[in-house]
Amino acid sequence: MPNISTIDELKKQEEYTDMLKDILFMRYDNNQPKAHVRTYGCQQNVADSEKIKGMLEKMGCELTENTEDADIIIFNTCAVREHAEDRVFGNVGELKALKRRKPSLLIGLCGCMMEQKHISERIYKSFPYVGMVFGTHVIHKFPEMLYNAVTTGKRFVERGTDDGKIYEGIPVHRDGSFKGWLSIMYGCDNFCTYCIVPYVRGRERSRQSKTVLEEAKAMVKSGFKEITLLGQNVNSYGKGLEEKTSFPKLLKNVSEIEGDFWIRFMTSHPKDASKELIDVIADSEKICNHIHLPFQSGSDGILKRMNRHYDKEKYMEIVNYAKSKIPDLALTSDVIVGFPGETYEDFQKTLDLIREVEFTSLFTFIYSPRVGTPAAKMDDPIPYEEKSRWFSELLKVQEEIAAKRCAEMNGKTYRVLVEEQKKDGILCARTQNNIIVEVQGSADLIGTFQNAEVTESRNWILRGKLV
Ligand code: SAH
Ligand code: SF4
Ligand code: F3S
């Protein structure tokens, strides 16, 4: 059960929510206020934004995709790379004109960027029209913070502290009706030397398995066809809980929930990926045969300096075990090019690993120094232009592999989940191993499982027909 202090805290927030219903309604001339929440960054932020939207709805707001229409605008930000931060700074700048046209507009910035003191201070100073600045540790207090902002008219910065608590029962507005996110844990304790996440998300803590299972059951009951279990390192799920549990056990329990649905999970840290995990995936029809297993680098020396706690041999051991156990397995990964001190030789080892594993797709990043992380203080002699050249070399290698992996699917039939319809009427359907197949069909198939035969593969785009 959630502990008493978090229940009391959320009750207090409900009271603020109730008061805000009338206050906001009046503020916007007796019209239902419109709120826009924009999400940057990873699925953790998507899940947090769903909570902010849930709270806004309870305050009587209607959600809108359009900033022009909005009375309340919240940007939920990401700090993982400089590029992500630059986008936020640019987009916030664009809100200035909106605020000038509509002085009653309330603008808030939250999320990982705001947990960094130098950033939240810069935002507060440079953007006087941003009234609310708050971090990841205080999201549950959003109603109280908004109430104070509206009733006093004062701007605020609230970063809070990582109290290690989990606030169960915050209202949630799920973005999708058939694909959904389910956080099983929060924070990260791994402190990879390049990464800002442990500093902005706090210490790792797991939700009780009973609560996770109840939420999963409720999602299945309300028609969800795909549930993605979320955590920065799902493989260490359960650490610190009184109950004796583990990620493979949780995954198995979720897969035993009755109903026709798929399960995905992310992210799996290779240092804690066990054979037991692979066996659970192999044994269940519902758990997708896709593992996102970030390797970051193929060089043992770099992995050590990244503080990743595995080497290439250990990574390949789990990959090969998974390949031997799970038919049609797709592996995807994250990789960083140009970590401080990385040589062209190190980089070639990354390419070797990519060729050996044959990932179906890769998320590729050029190293971006983050203030306060150990890597930001390491010697980094390779110029950015050189890193960019390595990066292009990597993309070329991966493109060929992806095309080859997709070509292997040609002629076969797969069970797919129809996800969306493109502007030209074509439906995008996803296989268990996370590949999109484009098919002809009507929009009412969206959100249903179908069978698709792949009839054409062009690079990494597959076309097919429903059968
Ligand atoms: N918890 C996940 C990753 C979360 S961040 C894991 O451990 O795999 C997503 C990805 O962003 C990371 O896997 C890494 O490849 C990349 N990343 C993180 N910090 C970065 C940095 N400072 N520069 C470049 N890429 C980075
Ligand atoms: Fe960052 Fe490493 Fe934690 Fe992933 S495991 S979030 S890369 S510190
Ligand atoms: Fe970005 Fe925060 Fe996720 S830094 S990657 S949104 S945990």
Side-chain angles (χ1 to χ4, degrees):
M1 288 303 287
N3 70 38
I4 295 296
S5 66
T6 63
I7 294 175
D8 286 346
E9 177 62 41
L10 290 188
K11 268 206 191 115
K12 192 170 92 187
Q13 297 307 320
E14 272 172 35
E15 285 162 20
Y16 282 111
T17 301
D18 281 341
M19 291 190 282
L20 276 165
K21 260 188 216 157
D22 295 333
I23 293 171
L24 289 176
F25 194 69
M26 281 182 332
R27 180 181 169 98
Y28 296 107
D29 304 327
N30 295 336
N31 286 316
Q32 185 182 22
K34 292 201 170 102
H36 172 84
V37 180
R38 184 178 302 174
T39 313
Y40 300 80
C42 71
Q43 304 316 332
Q44 312 279 316
N45 260 15
V46 173
D48 278 353
S49 287
E50 290 186 341
K51 287 182 186 158
I52 294 170
K53 289 179 195 174
M55 290 186 268
L56 283 162
E57 267 183 344
K58 290 263 182 230
M59 293 166 197
C61 295
E62 181 191 337
L63 299 171
T64 171
E65 288 301 309
N66 193 343
T67 46
E68 300 275 331
D69 287 352
D71 302 303
I72 301 172
I73 296 178
I74 308 285
F75 283 181
N76 190 8
T77 65
C78 169
V80 80
R81 283 171 295 276
E82 195 179 348
H83 177 68
E85 296 194 332
D86 288 345
R87 268 179 60 214
V88 171
F89 281 115
N91 294 161
V92 176
E94 290 162 16
L95 297 178
K96 186 175 179 180
L98 267 185
K99 175 75 180 176
R100 196 179 299 144
R101 281 208 301 277
K102 193 196 273 186
S104 64
L105 177 66
L106 291 164
I107 301 175
L109 296 193
C110 66
C112 296
M113 262 173 93
M114 303 308 130
E115 278 302 334
Q116 304 172 95
K117 197 162 175 258
H118 69 283
I119 298 279
S120 50
E121 280 172 0
R122 177 173 155 200
I123 298 267
Y124 192 79
K125 274 201 204 107
S126 323
F127 302 102
Y129 49 92
V130 173
M132 305 177 279
V133 177
F134 56 101
T136 60
H137 301 318
V138 288
I139 280 193
H140 60 277
K141 277 173 57 180
F142 176 60
E144 181 176 351
M145 295 184 293
L146 185 62
Y147 176 88
N148 289 337
V150 174
T151 53
T152 67
K154 284 195 184 130
R155 302 172 68 213
F156 69 86
V157 178
E158 174 113 36
R159 286 204 319 280
T161 48
D162 172 20
D163 62 10
K165 290 177 190 157
I166 294 180
Y167 292 83
E168 294 290 359
I170 299 176
V172 174
H173 166 95
R174 291 198 194 277
D175 290 334
S177 57
F178 61 91
K179 272 168 77 108
W181 315 109
L182 175 46
S183 297
I184 63 169
M185 60 206 294
Y186 304 96
C188 180
D189 283 353
N190 290 307
F191 290 96
C192 304
T193 51
Y194 50 81
C195 185
I196 196 73
V197 172
Y199 304 90
V200 295
R201 285 268 163 191
R203 297 291 56 76
E204 183 182 296
R205 53 219 180 265
S206 295
R207 294 176 72 189
Q208 300 201 345
S209 62
K210 191 169 154 271
T211 327
V212 174
L213 284 169
E214 272 166 13
E215 194 169 338
K217 268 185 209 152
M219 288 172 81
V220 174
K221 209 169 154 204
S222 63
F224 278 84
K225 295 286 179 265
E226 183 184 292
I227 298 176
T228 302
L229 306 178
L230 289 182
Q232 290 299 352
N233 174 15
V234 291
N235 294 332
S236 65
Y237 170 79
K239 212 174 65 186
L241 284 180
E242 271 173 31
E243 56 176 320
K244 232 176 120 48
T245 182
S246 67
F247 184 61
K249 206 166 149 193
L250 180 78
L251 192 57
K252 189 164 186 292
N253 288 338
V254 175
S255 74
E256 281 162 0
I257 295 173
E258 241 173 82
D260 189 15
F261 67 102
W262 284 354
I263 305 162
R264 300 185 185 276
F265 57 87
M266 64 192 296
T267 298
S268 210
H269 194 308
K271 83 180 161 71
D272 302 311
S274 62
K275 292 192 169 160
E276 189 192 354
L277 170 72
I278 306 299
D279 294 341
V280 169
I281 301 171
D283 285 346
S284 168
E285 295 269 301
K286 287 181 190 158
I287 305 171
C288 291
N289 51 3
H290 164 225
I291 310 177
H292 183 62
L293 195 65
F295 69 94
Q296 314 297 359
S297 168
S299 153
D300 289 347
I302 295 294
L303 284 171
K304 204 167 173 62
R305 288 200 295 123
M306 285 178 165
N307 194 33
R308 290 288 288 181
H309 294 282
Y310 56 84
D311 55 14
K312 182 184 171 190
E313 193 185 333
K314 175 155 188 239
Y315 186 84
M316 289 310 297
E317 196 184 310
I318 196 79
V319 162
N320 289 329
Y321 184 74
K323 281 184 176 174
S324 74
K325 283 276 177 166
I326 306 170
D328 252 334
L329 172 71
L331 287 156
T332 57
S333 197
D334 296 346
V335 50
I336 297 176
V337 172
F339 183 79
E342 181 173 336
T343 62
Y344 189 63
E345 260 186 348
D346 291 314
F347 170 68
Q348 288 301 318
K349 289 180 185 162
T350 290
L351 294 189
D352 290 343
L353 189 147
I354 291 172
R355 290 192 189 99
E356 247 175 89
V357 179
E358 299 196 315
F359 297 99
T360 49
S361 70
L362 279 180
F363 295 91
T364 48
F365 309 106
I366 294 184
Y367 168 73
S368 166
R370 305 285 68 208
V371 172
T373 59
K377 297 187 202 86
M378 295 177 189
D379 251 5
D380 191 5
I382 304 288
Y384 191 84
E385 295 67 40
E386 179 76 12
K387 293 182 182 182
S388 295
R389 277 194 290 276
W390 298 359
F391 189 75
S392 309
E393 196 178 333
L394 188 154
L395 291 187
K396 247 182 92 197
V397 169
Q398 177 55 28
E399 275 170 15
E400 275 173 30
I401 294 170
K404 177 179 161 229
R405 293 296 314 267
C406 281
E408 286 165 6
M409 293 173 72
N410 207 346
K412 294 186 190 156
T413 297
Y414 295 86
R415 190 163 201 239
V416 290
L417 178 58
V418 181
E419 292 191 344
E420 57 174 355
Q421 187 168 39
K422 294 198 302 179
K423 284 206 183 80
D424 57 6
I426 299 283
L427 297 179
C428 296
R430 195 181 293 271
T431 61
Q432 267 216 349
N433 60 9
N434 212 31
I435 305 281
I436 297 279
V437 185
E438 296 183 348
V439 292
Q440 300 275 0
S442 68
D444 54 12
L445 297 179
I446 293 172
T448 66
F449 287 118
Q450 302 292 330
N451 291 309
E453 184 191 335
V454 179
T455 53
E456 183 189 343
S457 85
R458 214 188 301 150
N459 295 326
W460 41 96
I461 295 174
L462 294 182
R463 300 232 164 80
K465 56 173 192 255
L466 296 178
V467 289

